[in-house]
Structures are given as structure tokens and as C-alpha cells.
Amino acid sequence: MDKAQIKEKYEHFREWQRSPNAFQIKSDDEHVCQCCGHRFVGNYCPGCSQKAEEGAIGWRSVRQSFMDIWGLGSRSLPRSICHLLLRPGYLISDYISGKRQVSFPPVKMLFFVAVIIVLLVYYLIPLLLGRPFDVMGEDLSNERLGDWIQGYFAWTYFIIALLYILPTWIMFRYAPRHTRHTLPQGFFIQVFLCVINLVLSFILLLPFALINYIAYLMISWIVLIIYYIIAYKQLFGYGIWGTLWRVLVVVGSTYSIFQSLLELFNLYGLSQEVAQKSPIVNNAINYLAYGLTLLAIGWVINLIATKLTRKEFKLTKQ
């Protein structure tokens, strides 16, 4: 395969990333909806949304019913995860733009993915290994905190995802795409990214965590940062460098704020006398101050960098 063929395949892949759901109407035949009796042309009834090809109940209906339970029917869970891994920012952009049918419902997807991974990590893998699988490794200095994260790692990912909402809104609110995106839109953005986080962490878990947990952590961070840069670039439309420094501000400030919360978590269960002598409070304040300072600096630089965009936005609003 020469360079021209590779370039052509890459261009086809890029076109698919931007618009994978373009399809032609199957036929110009008129249909009568089996549900509401509406006459229409196309794939779906405009009255009740039932498929044109929906007919008498058969074994296919039985199979589809069982598939729907696990999210394998319309807007299937595997298909949505596949799109989320191959075109993360474009899928998220489609969804928050109002195209709800392009993806499996994101919150339900997060729930299903978390449940499936928990079952695999805590039941199937230990069964195959013949021993309990230590997900978190042995490098956590706080055993109580480590036990909580190990037992509720999906919730840990979700809490971190929620912390990303405000920094993302601050750093990308004047982006070429989704200018002035709202905080509710930011919630769904982070739910999708949380799914990516869980899926990639699990994919990397099997080959690396079983061998070397520290290598697993480093590789996971690198892969996730790359995915976040790709997702934010596709979603908000900045160039690679404009996306890179904004993502680093978002990740750095969020990580510091999360570390502050972890330090405060360590105070839980300590007596008042011990808590007063502990450096935990100072550590928490330092982490929080660092995160807020980094976010404030990023906000100022972003205001300067987006001065022209903000002027154009105000003019269009008038």
C-alpha cells in the first residue's frame, strides 16, 4: 500500500468520523404503520416513530426484546462505545447539538459500562486467575482511602468527571464550535468522557496492571490525556496547540482540586485533637489554591486569546 492509498483511506476515515450516520431512505414506497395506521414514505412513521419494516411478531422480535434489555438494540451500546472510541468529540458534538438518536443514552451507558466492568474485575477475572485481583496495586499510602476507591472506582471516575465540568466551561466557552456551551451540556460531555475513561482503563488493565501497576498508571494517564485532547479538539474546533494548553489547564486544575478533596477525606474518622495537629488541612488548602490559581491564569490567557471571538459573538447576538 503506497502513500496515496494510505492518504485516501485516512480521508475516508475522517469523513466517516464527521458524518457516519448519513443514510439514504430505503425506498419511495408508501407504508402503512402497523401501530397507528399512519401512511408515510421512509424508514420511520412520523406519527409514532415505529419502523416501517416492523411486522408480525416472530423469533426476531424475541431476540430483539432480549437485546433491548442489555442495550444491544436500537442505538446499541457496543456501537455507541465503538463510535466513542473512534470519533469521541464528533459523537459528543452530535449529541449535545440535539441529535439524541446518534448514541445510546449516555447516563444509562455509563451505568451499564460501570456494572459490566465491576462484574469483570471483581468476579470473572478473579475466577480465571484463581485469586483476588488487586485493582489498585499496593502503592496507596492511605489504606482506608484505597479500600474505598477500590470498592467504588466507577464512582471515583464519575466524581472526577463532575469536577471537569466547570474548568471545561471556563476554558472552552469561546471555542469555534459550541461557543457558550451550557453547564448541562458540560454534564453530558463529561459523562461521555467518563465512559471513555472507564473503557480505556479496563482495556489497559489486563495487559499492564497484571505485570506492573506503576507502568499501568503511567500508560493509562498518557493514553487518557491523548484521548481527551482528541475529543476536545473534535468537539470545540480549536487547533492542536490551542486544544493542548487548554486541556492541560483543565486536567491540572481538576487534578489539584480532586487531590484537595482526597486530603479532606483523610480527616474522616479522626478525632478533633488529632485533626488539628495533622498537616492534612494545610495540604488540602495548598492543593485547592494551586488548582484555582492555575484555572485563574488559564482563564485570563483564554480571555486574551479569544478577544476577537468574543467580539464576533457579541455582534451576532445583537
Side-chain angles (χ1 to χ4, degrees):
M1 186 180 295
D2 58 20
K3 291 184 178 180
Q5 290 176 318
I6 295 175
K7 184 177 180 181
E8 183 181 358
K9 288 185 179 295
Y10 176 73
E11 290 299 327
H12 287 163
F13 175 70
R14 292 284 293 164
E15 291 176 8
W16 174 84
Q17 280 186 310
R18 294 187 182 95
S19 183
N21 300 296
F23 60 90
Q24 299 292 328
I25 294 176
K26 292 181 179 178
S27 70
D28 294 329
D29 297 337
E30 185 179 64
H31 306 282
V32 178
C33 180
Q34 298 291 326
C35 180
C36 64
H38 193 94
R39 293 183 176 274
F40 65 97
V41 174
N43 294 323
Y44 295 91
C45 172
C48 66
S49 301
Q50 180 163 290
K51 285 185 179 180
E53 60 190 29
E54 205 72 53
I57 290 179
W59 288 112
R60 179 183 177 187
S61 304
V62 176
R63 177 181 60 83
Q64 191 67 35
S65 296
F66 279 101
M67 290 178 65
D68 287 338
I69 295 176
W70 302 105
L72 301 175
S74 178
R75 297 179 293 161
S76 73
L77 180 60
R79 176 182 178 276
S80 296
I81 292 176
C82 180
H83 279 237
L84 202 52
L85 293 177
L86 294 176
R87 48 184 299 270
Y90 293 125
L91 176 64
I92 298 171
S93 178
D94 289 341
Y95 189 86
I96 67 173
S97 297
K99 299 177 181 179
R100 301 291 187 268
Q101 300 302 316
V102 299
S103 169
F104 190 79
V107 176
K108 188 187 292 187
M109 176 163 53
L110 177 60
F111 172 79
F112 273 115
V113 168
V115 169
I116 292 170
I117 290 178
V118 166
L119 291 175
L120 291 174
V121 168
Y122 290 112
Y123 294 97
L124 182 59
I125 294 178
L127 182 65
L128 296 176
L129 293 177
R131 60 178 175 82
F133 182 53
D134 187 8
V135 182
M136 303 311 300
E138 301 178 353
D139 64 331
L140 286 170
S141 58
N142 188 294
E143 293 183 3
R144 184 161 46 83
L145 176 61
D147 290 340
W148 191 92
I149 294 176
Q150 185 172 9
Y152 303 96
F153 69 89
W155 282 106
T156 303
Y157 283 126
F158 184 63
I159 291 170
I160 296 175
L162 294 180
L163 294 176
Y164 274 109
I165 294 176
L166 188 59
T168 297
W169 181 79
I170 290 173
M171 297 305 301
F172 289 91
R173 59 194 304 239
Y174 300 113
R177 298 193 200 112
H178 302 291
T179 304
R180 295 279 189 158
H181 78 278
T182 63
L183 292 179
Q185 288 177 326
F187 169 79
F188 286 106
I189 290 171
Q190 297 309 323
V191 168
F192 277 115
L193 292 176
C194 187
V195 173
I196 293 177
N197 202 332
L198 281 171
V199 172
L200 289 178
S201 297
F202 177 73
I203 292 173
L204 296 171
L205 183 73
L206 299 179
F208 292 107
L210 291 172
I211 302 172
N212 188 307
Y213 180 71
I214 301 301
Y216 163 69
L217 283 180
M218 294 179 62
I219 293 171
S220 295
W221 267 99
I222 293 172
V223 172
L224 289 173
I225 290 293
I226 291 173
Y227 251 92
Y228 270 58
I229 292 171
I230 294 172
Y232 277 103
K233 182 179 183 298
Q234 293 177 354
L235 175 61
F236 291 110
Y238 281 117
I240 184 64
W241 295 112
T243 303
L244 177 61
W245 74 265
R246 288 177 173 87
V247 168
L248 292 179
V249 170
V250 170
V251 172
S253 60
T254 302
Y255 175 77
S256 297
I257 294 171
F258 182 66
Q259 284 293 329
S260 176
L261 294 177
L262 292 184
E263 291 291 334
L264 294 176
F265 185 89
N266 290 334
L267 290 174
Y268 179 75
L270 297 180
S271 64
Q272 185 175 359
E273 181 179 354
V274 174
Q276 289 176 347
K277 296 179 181 179
S278 173
I280 292 176
V281 175
N282 288 335
N283 291 339
I285 293 174
N286 290 336
Y287 277 122
L288 181 62
Y290 176 78
L292 294 178
T293 300
L294 180 61
L295 188 59
I297 294 173
W299 174 67
V300 172
I301 297 175
N302 191 46
L303 284 179
I304 297 172
T306 58
K307 184 177 180 180
L308 181 60
T309 303
R310 287 184 287 117
K311 283 184 177 179
E312 292 176 349
F313 179 79
K314 288 181 181 179
L315 289 174
T316 56
K317 292 292 285 185
Q318 292 175 355

